[in-house]
Amino acid sequence: MGVSVDTALVDALLKSAPRPEKAERAAEPAAPVQVRRGSKTVSDWANEARAAAKSAKTLDALADAIRAFDGSPLKAACEQAVVFDGVPGSSLMVIGEGPGAEEDRRGLPFVGKAGQLLDKMLAAIGRSRTDNTFITNVNYWRPQGNRNPEADELAVCRPFVDRMIELVQPKLIIAAGGVPAVSLLASKDGIMKLRGNEYAYSTPDGFKAPMIPILHPAYLLRRPQDKSRAWRDLMLIEKRLTELS
């Protein structure tokens, strides 16, 4: 890709980030998928989400609409919706998979162990959630057992995701991990084929921005041998942000 890999810096980032503990993940059995009550279908709920999202004129109004939305079967088992963090109007937007246990407790995305590594990765290219980055997810409620969100759970959140992109108007979007990358790009390829490439993303209302998928920080904590791929992706992101500014 024409960029050099500072392996020493990446080593430092990965070594300084806390590792996920297998015992902690194994202690919580996966709960059965929650079933929505009532006669509404997934399509009904998606339409309701679309109407609520479209009526939101600000990010705060959109956050309120998400918290009030009852169309996700995950909501009943969660402490709260995890909507966004960071600086509205930032040129860089990070979209992850969804909240874990720590995010559910605190109500903010990417604040667990993977989030701590994400912060270090962003810092390596001069970015932070306190200054110039906006962070959200494709799913706002934690799946029990830390499983991946189901297709219908992503579908009812998608109108809110697109509306959030339209309100933030980023110059570049990072899809952090396979779930957001495959979902947002409607791709049949996995994250290993998608990562490190730029794709044109467009919302239903016509807002367009380039999207670059990367490996999820949680994956890098489990497989530090892929750190060079992560660094190349960060260098591409930094380069594109400079060109787009």
Side-chain angles (χ1 to χ4, degrees), residues 1-227:
M1 294 177 61
V3 295
S4 60
V5 179
D6 188 342
T7 55
L9 177 56
V10 179
D11 279 336
L13 292 179
L14 290 170
K15 287 178 181 178
S16 65
R19 297 294 181 88
E21 298 189 13
K22 294 180 181 178
E24 181 181 351
R25 291 182 64 87
E28 181 185 356
V33 176
Q34 299 292 319
V35 179
R36 297 180 186 85
R37 296 179 180 178
S39 58
K40 290 183 180 179
T41 65
V42 173
S43 180
D44 292 333
W45 282 117
N47 288 334
E48 186 172 311
R50 194 169 297 109
K54 192 175 183 64
S55 67
K57 305 304 181 186
T58 66
L59 283 169
D60 287 340
L62 184 62
D64 289 342
I66 292 169
R67 295 185 184 106
F69 182 66
D70 292 325
S72 174
L74 301 173
K75 183 176 180 178
C78 296
E79 290 191 29
Q80 57 193 314
V82 178
V83 183
F84 65 77
D85 192 17
V87 182
S90 294
S91 58
L92 179 62
M93 184 174 191
V94 179
I95 305 180
E97 174 182 321
E102 184 66 18
E103 288 80 9
D104 186 38
R105 283 192 292 268
R106 295 176 57 182
L108 295 170
F110 277 108
V111 292
K113 294 173 182 177
Q116 294 170 37
L117 178 54
L118 175 66
D119 287 342
K120 290 179 171 62
M121 292 168 67
L122 292 173
I125 58 171
R127 294 276 160 170
S128 77
R129 70 177 75 206
T130 57
D131 294 325
N132 51 18
T133 303
F134 187 90
I135 301 175
T136 185
N137 288 311
V138 289
N139 170 51
Y140 306 109
W141 293 274
R142 180 197 180 201
Q144 296 299 295
N146 289 336
R147 62 168 174 80
N148 288 342
E150 303 284 348
D152 68 324
E153 295 160 359
L154 294 171
V156 296
C157 290
R158 182 59 174 271
F160 295 121
V161 176
D162 282 325
R163 183 60 179 150
M164 197 172 299
I165 292 171
E166 291 166 356
L167 289 171
V168 175
Q169 299 213 332
K171 292 184 177 179
L172 179 66
I173 301 169
I174 293 176
V179 170
V182 171
S183 172
L184 292 172
L185 296 173
S187 176
K188 294 181 180 179
D189 292 329
I191 187 61
M192 282 302 181
K193 286 189 176 181
L194 294 173
R195 57 146 289 273
N197 298 298
E198 182 177 317
Y199 302 87
Y201 186 77
S202 179
T203 69
D205 282 349
F207 176 79
K208 297 179 181 180
M211 177 179 289
I212 298 177
I214 67 170
L215 298 173
H216 197 284
Y219 172 88
L220 294 172
L221 290 173
R222 297 191 301 270
R223 291 182 57 85
Q225 60 266 40
D226 284 325
K227 60 195 175 186

